[in-house]
Structures are given as structure tokens and as C-alpha cells.
Amino acid sequence: MGVLKEPHIIDLPRKIVIGRGVIDRLGLYLKELLGSREEGKVVVVTGHTVGKLYYPVIKESVENIGLEPIRVIIDSSTVDEAERVYREIRQIADKVVAIIGLGGGKSIDVAKYSSRKIGKPFISVPTVASHDGITSPFASLKGFGKPISKLAQAPLMILIDTDIIAEAPQRFNRAGFGDVIGKYTAVRDWRLAHRLKGEYYGGYAASLALMSARHVTKHVDEIAAGTEEGLRILLEALVSSGVAMCIAGSTRPASGSEHLFAHAVTMIVKNPPLHGELVGLGTIMMSYLHGMNWKLIKRLLERVGLPTAAEELGLDRDVVIKALTMAASIRPERYTILGERGLTEEAAKRLVKVTGVA
Ligand code: ZN
């Protein structure tokens, strides 16, 4: 490794709280982090449904420490929506002490983005364990007709109430497993880009991302059974994967060709499956291209009840083939096993057939 021209700066989460019923104590943890500030507003970005369920608890908890909660409801995670939220918060910026993202992916991404723009701490309160965006410093938004990943900021605190996560439909937690399994190919792609394109490669961040994939692999049965222990293992893995992105300063350790495929499908179909479900499917195919043990990946996904064929996700074979051929063009600067020009239709057809995906 040569001498670093620019300093490599790593921002990490300060406090990570995982446990049963911890949402009640959000205010107390927040007070510890913010110090003795006696007044100020805490913005809670959330969706309609989740907001109805859990905002009242957060409201009470924040009021108990003498701060004023303000709810901001969002409908989507587009760049426009994130900008709207930013403008809304900007008007009260001098009084805001923290911005909470409460919900699944969208609320967390929008809160992460607007908090960075306004320069206030971001608090992540996920209600599902379906992806690693709950820890990462990147906001995944939709803009210009495609998913984009914007550098936002690492959460000051991640608070995960396992009672809430356990209430979420099993499908979400299974999807989280798919997102973590994707690190096997993401790290391979990163290494490839390093060797072929001279891209920066952080061995430590890569190892951490791989470790989270190995962690869920080792405990696949607990996760499949949906036990409390299984949930905790999955959450640890999602948190570690997000931390790997914090350390790398990019989404590289957590997102490669399997993610490009997932993004492509999201662009093609109107009501796409869950992110982690698509990543799982992508990982089967990309691990085949990498010459890895793709059958093992497939078996792991099957064991937790994740779909391993496009049909199970309601996706047509044509959609999968189209997504495979366009995946490389979504982020041309991100070199992966798909190469610079992506797969030809012929190659895509062969790939879906060999792996039994479609
Ligand atoms: Zn992901």
C-alpha cells in the first residue's frame, strides 16, 4: 500500500442499543449523548403506519427529558421528498438538537440525508431488520429515475427495540438475511475492482463485512426459526455491515454486483420485492459468476425461507434478464464481475438457467 494522499476519516456510531423494550428509554439515552441541554426540538421523521404505532412512545420519552418532539411524515424516499423535509427542518434549524429516523428504510434514509444537510445528529430507530441501511452513513434515495446512494452521516445512536422488530412480519427479517449474504459477493467485487482498476481496498472493512455474512451463515438455523437469539444475531450482522461502510467510507464492502442487480429490478418493476430478497437472488447468480460455491448460497437462502427463483417473487424471466443486462450501467464507476459493459442477453439467459433463478 502506498502513502495515503488524503487523510482517511472514519465516523462511527457513538451508542448502539439493542434490547427488549428499549424504545421507552430513548429520551434517557439521548440526554446522555446530548449533554445537559435543557431545551430544543427533536425531529422525528416517520411514515404514516409506523408513526401511528410508535411515535406516541417516542414523544413521551422525549418530553420526559424536557425536549420538544416534532413529527414529520414522509411518503417516499425520493430526493425531492428528502429535500422537502430538509427545507421544513431548516426553518427551525437553530432549535433542533437531533433528527430521528423511525421506521423501515425510507424514514431512516430521509432523516439521515436531512440531518447531514442541516448539520445535526442523526438517530436511527429501525422497526424492521430488513437491510443494513440502519447503521450505514449512506442514504439510499431515488432520483433521476434510479436508486442513488448519497453520503450522509453515521448515526450518533442506533436504538433497536427487539420487541418491535419481532412484531414485524417475518418476511422483513428474512430479507435482512438476504442483504447480509450479499456481502460474500460484494467483497469479491471490491477486491476485483482493486486488482483490475487500482481502486482503494480496505482489508479491515472488507473482513468486517465478510464476518457479518459468516456470522449469519453459522447461525442460519436460529435465524430461520425466528427465535430471539436468531434476531439478535441478524441485527448484530446488519450493524457490523453498516459499520464496515463507515470504516471504508463507501458502500463498497456491502454492495456489489448483487446490489446492482437488485437496483435494476427496482427500476424495472412497479412494485418490486424487498431489497434483501432481490439481493439474495442476485447473490446466487453473482456467486456463480465469481466461481464461488453458489449452491451453498442458494441452500442458505432456502433454509431461511427466502425465494431462490424469480417466480417466487412474482418476477418474469424477461425482467430478470433485462435487469442483468442493465445492472452494470446503473453505476458505471462501480466495477464488478459484470464488467464494464455488463452481461449480454445470451450470457444473462445462460446465467438464470444454470442457477435455476429463472
Ligand atoms: Zn443492501
Side-chain angles (χ1 to χ4, degrees):
M1 243 179 69
V3 178
L4 287 176
K5 289 190 190 85
E6 296 290 332
H8 186 87
I9 300 165
I10 299 171
D11 279 316
L12 292 170
R14 270 264 302 281
K15 197 185 269 290
I16 300 172
V17 184
I18 303 178
R20 300 189 64 177
V22 291
I23 197 166
D24 293 343
R25 277 170 275 158
L26 183 133
L28 294 175
Y29 298 127
L30 198 57
K31 202 180 165 73
E32 277 172 25
L33 286 169
L34 297 174
S36 57
R37 257 189 99 142
E38 260 148 39
E39 53 184 43
K41 297 178 196 291
V42 175
V43 176
V44 184
V45 178
T46 186
H48 289 278
T49 319
V50 168
K52 221 175 262 168
L53 286 171
Y54 305 115
Y55 177 73
V57 192
I58 290 196
K59 181 175 181 280
E60 197 187 324
S61 185
V62 168
E63 281 170 350
N64 283 343
I65 55 160
L67 295 173
E68 183 193 343
I70 293 177
R71 177 169 45 173
V72 176
I73 302 275
I74 59 137
D75 287 317
S76 70
S77 56
T78 59
V79 174
D80 288 348
E81 183 78 332
E83 282 290 327
R84 177 187 70 79
V85 170
Y86 159 67
R87 284 193 301 274
E88 202 174 318
I89 304 170
R90 190 178 54 185
Q91 298 179 9
I92 48 164
D94 53 336
K95 298 196 178 70
V96 172
V97 293
I99 298 174
I100 296 173
L102 166 71
K106 291 172 194 158
S107 308
I108 288 184
D109 285 316
V110 170
K112 208 187 277 177
Y113 176 84
S114 48
S115 65
R116 149 96 181 206
K117 257 197 121 166
I118 215 162
K120 301 288 175 169
F122 162 60
I123 313 292
S124 177
V125 185
T127 53
V128 287
S130 59
H131 59 92
D132 57 16
I134 56 179
T135 348
S136 90
F138 293 88
S140 163
L141 301 169
K142 286 188 188 71
F144 319 108
K146 62 179 186 179
I148 47 172
S149 177
K150 291 231 174 208
L151 176 64
Q153 63 172 335
L156 180 68
M157 170 166 71
I158 304 153
L159 183 129
I160 307 173
D161 190 323
T162 49
D163 283 341
I164 292 177
I165 305 281
E167 286 280 307
Q170 267 298 305
R171 190 183 165 199
F172 287 97
N173 302 341
R174 284 199 289 262
F177 181 85
D179 199 24
V180 178
I181 286 297
K183 313 314 162 202
Y184 280 126
T185 44
V187 169
R188 286 284 188 121
D189 283 323
W190 193 14
R191 220 180 285 159
L192 196 65
H194 172 62
R195 287 181 184 165
L196 286 175
K197 301 285 168 186
E199 197 182 299
Y200 163 77
Y201 177 79
Y204 183 82
S207 300
L208 189 58
L210 272 184
M211 196 175 78
S212 55
R214 290 189 185 123
H215 192 49
V216 297
T217 300
K218 196 172 153 199
H219 297 281
V220 63
D221 290 328
E222 288 103 305
I223 294 170
T227 60
E228 201 184 326
E229 184 57 17
L231 200 57
R232 204 173 259 272
I233 288 162
L234 177 62
L235 286 164
E236 279 167 3
L238 289 168
V239 168
S240 310
S241 169
V243 168
M245 288 187 258
C246 290
I247 293 171
S250 85
T251 57
R252 263 297 191 184
S255 166
S257 49
E258 74 300 319
H259 270 69
L260 293 177
F261 165 75
H263 295 326
V265 173
T266 311
M267 285 165 68
I268 300 170
V269 298
K270 234 184 170 174
N271 292 308
L274 295 175
H275 169 76
E277 292 172 336
L278 290 171
V279 170
L281 211 56
T283 309
I284 298 173
M285 297 188 283
M286 303 310 156
S287 57
Y288 171 81
L289 293 180
H290 272 291
M292 297 160 65
N293 188 351
W294 64 275
K295 286 181 182 165
L296 175 69
I297 302 281
K298 194 170 176 172
R299 275 201 301 277
L300 285 170
L301 299 176
E302 277 167 358
R303 260 159 88 180
V304 293
L306 269 165
T308 57
E311 206 181 10
E312 297 169 67
L313 286 170
L315 294 174
D316 288 341
R317 181 171 173 267
D318 291 351
V319 168
V320 178
I321 289 165
K322 191 176 173 196
L324 284 170
T325 55
M326 67 186 266
S329 65
I330 295 176
R331 291 190 74 174
E333 78 287 2
R334 174 145 299 187
Y335 188 79
T336 68
I337 192 73
L338 296 168
E340 255 138 18
R341 279 188 276 173
L343 296 190
T344 61
E345 204 179 310
E346 259 20 76
K349 281 179 180 167
R350 257 199 318 272
L351 179 57
V352 296
K353 195 172 172 204
V354 168
T355 53
V357 164

